[in-house]
Structures are given as structure tokens and as C-alpha cells.
Amino acid sequence: IHYIAVSIRCECLSKLFSAGFILKAKSAESTSFTAKSAVKINREGVMKKETILDTLKNNGMWIIGCILYSIGVNSFAVPNDIAQSGITGVSVIFYHLFETPVGTINLILNIPLLILMWIFLGKKLVARTLWVTVLLSTAIDVIAMFDLEYTGNPLLASLYCGLCQGAGLGLIMITGATSGGTDIVARLVHKKFPHITVGTVVMLADAVVVAAGMLVFRSIESGLYAIIVIYVSTKVIDSMIYGIGNFNM
């Protein structure tokens, strides 16, 4: 009987030890899971915080960029009849002929391009481009309300127009965004005809718009000053994106 009792005790102790070991293992597993969950939640919180900061930073750069670009258009290009490239150039032509708001026409002309972009290039690209286009169009019309026009030396006007527009577009492009216009046309053409580069389409489209501006303004000088604007703005954009070493006049 004593032997049986000892055996029963040993078996009970063995079961209790096994049960305790299992509980400890489950407790450790639960602690590990909790720690992993906490790390995951912390990482998600950091990522969410970084995303919010990036969004605020991008919007700040877009707003400043749109204001600088708008100053170039309203203060230097429009008062001196300097032809512009892209959709902005077409908007300036409408303003010269019908006195319509440059920003409003810029937005209206971009709408069908954005719809085509949505259909053929995807909605992800459209959202950011639409927002920047709205900001730019609004900024152009708001800046136009202030008396910031320079009507002195046309050469100086073209130089400062290029600086302002280049700095503005540079801030926008650094974030990977675009202001729409001929850039959308270029992307659509490149998708349909891959052998034609985006840069080629933009250059041809800008040349057509500048030529139209020369005809409307009835001035060859208008187109020549436009070339200066395009050259200076391109150099400023390159220096902002690729480094100051690329700014070689």
C-alpha cells in the first residue's frame, strides 16, 4: 500500500510539474506576442507620423512653389507680353485676347488632360497632379489681384520670370509631383508611342505654344524672351534636382 501511495504521489507531482511547465511556456509565448504587438503598433505609429509629416512637407513645398511660379507669370510675363510655354502659355494667350483669368483657364484646360490621365495612366498619378494644378491655378489668380507688375527692362523681366518659374517648378518636382499641362500630354503620347521620349513631346508642345504666343502678341521679341525664360527655368530646375553644380549659364 505504501508503494502504491508513493507511486500515486510521484505521478501527481509529475503531472503538476508538466502543467506548470506548460503554463510557463504559454505565459512566455503570450509575453512574446504582446511584445511583438507593441513593437508593431509602435512601428505603425512612427510610420503614420512620418507619413503625416511628409504630407505636410510636400504641401508646404507645393504652395511655395505655386506662389513663386505665379509671381513669374503675373509680375514678369503677362505685363511684358512674354510668351509662355505649356498650358500656362495658352492661358496667357486667352488672357491677352479675351482678358480671362489665367489661373481659371489653366485649370479648365487641364481638366480633360487629367481625365485622359485617369483613364490611361491610372488614378494614383491623377490625385497629386490634380491637387497641384488646383493650387497653381488658385495661386495665379490670387497673385494677380496684387499690384506686383514689373514693366521695366524686358530682358530683366525674362530673366526673373525664368528664375521664379524654375524655382517654383523645382520645388514641385522635387516631391515627385507635376503641375500638369504638357507633361500629361507627353506621358500620354509616350505611352501610345514608346519610341517618342517625354522630353521630345514637351519640347515640341512648348515650341508650338511659344510660336502661337508670338503670333498673338505680334512680336518676334516675345518668342525670343520666352526662350530665355525656358532656358533659365530649366537650369534652375536642374540645379535644384541634381545639384547646384549643374547651374552653368
Side-chain angles (χ1 to χ4, degrees), residues 215-237:
L215 293 175
V216 171
F217 296 138
R218 297 180 181 179
S219 171
I220 296 177
E221 287 81 5
S222 175
L224 296 177
Y225 288 132
I227 294 174
I228 295 175
V229 172
I230 294 171
Y231 180 78
V232 173
S233 63
T234 301
K235 287 296 182 180
V236 173
I237 292 171

Side-chain angles (χ1 to χ4, degrees), residues 164-234:
C164 290
Q165 291 186 350
L169 290 176
L171 287 173
I172 293 171
M173 295 174 69
I174 283 175
T175 63
T178 174
S179 59
T182 51
D183 181 67
I184 299 177
V185 176
R187 288 170 183 259
L188 292 171
V189 172
H190 179 68
K191 184 176 178 63
K192 182 68 176 178
F193 307 100
H195 61 282
I196 302 177
T197 64
V198 172
T200 300
V201 178
V202 171
M203 183 179 66
L204 291 174
D206 288 346
V208 170
V209 175
V210 169
M214 291 171 62
L215 293 175
V216 171
F217 296 138
R218 297 180 181 179
S219 171
I220 296 177
E221 287 81 5
S222 175
L224 296 177
Y225 288 132
I227 294 174
I228 295 175
V229 172
I230 294 171
Y231 180 78
V232 173
S233 63
T234 301

Side-chain angles (χ1 to χ4, degrees), residues 111-126 183-193:
I111 289 175
L113 296 177
L114 289 167
I115 293 174
L116 291 174
M117 190 179 187
W118 178 288
I119 295 172
F120 295 105
L121 299 178
K123 60 183 180 180
K124 289 183 178 179
L125 292 173
V126 175
D183 181 67
I184 299 177
V185 176
R187 288 170 183 259
L188 292 171
V189 172
H190 179 68
K191 184 176 178 63
K192 182 68 176 178
F193 307 100

Side-chain angles (χ1 to χ4, degrees), residues 29-40:
E29 184 179 352
S30 176
T31 303
S32 176
F33 177 77
T34 305
K36 288 180 180 179
S37 300
V39 171
K40 184 177 180 182

